[in-house]
Amino acid sequence: MEIKAGSVAEALSGLVSKHPDLRRHLYTDEGKLRSFVNVYLNDEDVRYLQKEATAVKDSDIISIVPSIAGGR
């Protein structure tokens, strides 16, 4: 999906505005990105960049990857 945005936060906000049911999966009730949701900008974890304030360009790709855990 293409979304015009200047930052990761704006891109995620645009995504949620187009698909409101995603909000509960991505954000806490306080509006914080859930800890188990990993966001990557061109394969770089945004937690090691400028988090949601990380700037984006038209050619950038944002990936949302939920953490998977389990086992015995």
Side-chain angles (χ1 to χ4, degrees):
M1 161 178 288
E2 289 188 27
I3 297 175
K4 294 286 184 187
S7 69
V8 170
E10 289 176 11
L12 293 176
S13 178
L15 175 66
V16 168
S17 71
K18 290 183 180 193
H19 300 279
D21 290 339
L22 286 176
R23 181 174 303 282
R24 65 187 171 99
H25 297 289
L26 298 177
Y27 294 98
T28 65
D29 291 339
E30 294 79 31
K32 300 282 185 185
L33 195 61
R34 293 189 180 277
S35 60
F36 60 82
V37 174
N38 300 305
V39 179
Y40 295 86
L41 177 65
N42 302 321
D43 298 325
E44 293 284 333
D45 190 332
V46 298
R47 290 178 290 196
Y48 301 108
L49 300 173
Q50 295 171 347
K51 300 183 181 174
E52 290 179 79
T54 302
V56 296
K57 304 181 301 286
D58 285 346
S59 61
D60 287 337
I61 296 175
I62 297 173
S63 302
I64 303 168
V65 183
S67 295
I68 299 173
R72 297 181 148 182

